[in-house]
């Protein structure tokens, strides 16, 4: 699997410039290229990300989570979400599972990983609990 320049650029814009709240990536099965499927602006939230994920196909997503620490300091952590719903094709699940580690290595600066097969496994409470 190859990462397109658009993927790298979008990630850097999220990481350093806070241009995107989330990025959804899709693997083009014919060319084996990882492309940007959707991006969410800085005003969008976690509900917008979950709505952007298809119910019957796999995706990777990055979410920039802003929060306050117990010391009242603003922090930001980037979550990597491997979305493989139970209704997706077996071939797609295998392709996404085998490509995940390569993508994680290529995108330096991801703090947490969440693997989900249904929305309850990646609920906002799961994200909040990970940063505690």
């Amino acid at each position: 699997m190859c990462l397109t320049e658009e993927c790298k650029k979008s990630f850097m814009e999220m990481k350093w410039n806070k241009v995107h709240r989330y990025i959804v990536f899709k693997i083009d099965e014919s060319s084996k290229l990882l492309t940007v499927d959707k991006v969410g602006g800085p005003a969008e939230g976690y509900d917008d990300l979950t709505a952007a994920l298809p119910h019957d196909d796999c995706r990777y997503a990055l979410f920039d989570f802003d929060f306050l620490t117990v010391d009242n300091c603003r922090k930001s952590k980037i979550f990597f979400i491997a979305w493989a719903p139970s209704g997706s094709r077996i071939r797609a699940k295998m392709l996404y599972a085998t490509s995940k580690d390569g993508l994680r290595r290529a995108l330096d600066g991801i703090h947490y990983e969440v693997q989900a097969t249904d929305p309850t496994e990646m609920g906002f409470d799961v994200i909040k609990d990970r940063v505690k």
Side-chain angles (χ1 to χ4, degrees), residues 67-124:
F67 62 99
L68 288 174
T69 65
V70 291
D71 301 330
N72 211 24
C73 296
R74 292 188 75 60
K75 294 269 186 174
S76 177
K77 298 290 183 187
I78 296 177
F79 279 79
F80 176 85
I81 300 167
W83 173 245
S86 54
S88 58
R89 297 181 340 251
I90 298 293
R91 178 183 168 113
K93 289 180 188 179
M94 290 175 55
L95 178 63
Y96 277 80
T98 56
S99 304
K100 181 180 66 146
D101 289 335
L103 175 61
R104 289 263 343 244
R105 281 193 300 273
L107 302 177
D108 186 41
I110 295 170
H111 300 100
Y112 299 101
E113 180 177 332
V114 175
Q115 295 185 24
T117 58
D118 69 71
T120 59
E121 293 176 352
M122 57 174 274
F124 193 65

Side-chain angles (χ1 to χ4, degrees), residues 11-24:
F11 175 67
M12 290 308 205
E13 288 173 346
M14 170 191 264
K15 182 177 171 181
W16 297 111
N17 302 332
K18 305 293 184 193
V19 174
H20 310 299
R21 175 66 59 203
Y22 66 85
I23 305 169
V24 178

Side-chain angles (χ1 to χ4, degrees), residues 5-38:
E5 283 302 314
E6 179 188 18
C7 294
K8 295 175 189 173
K9 181 178 180 240
S10 295
F11 175 67
M12 290 308 205
E13 288 173 346
M14 170 191 264
K15 182 177 171 181
W16 297 111
N17 302 332
K18 305 293 184 193
V19 174
H20 310 299
R21 175 66 59 203
Y22 66 85
I23 305 169
V24 178
F25 299 103
K26 177 182 182 178
I27 297 176
D28 182 344
E29 291 186 30
S30 60
S31 66
K32 301 288 189 249
L33 287 175
L34 185 75
T35 60
V36 173
D37 189 29
K38 296 177 184 172

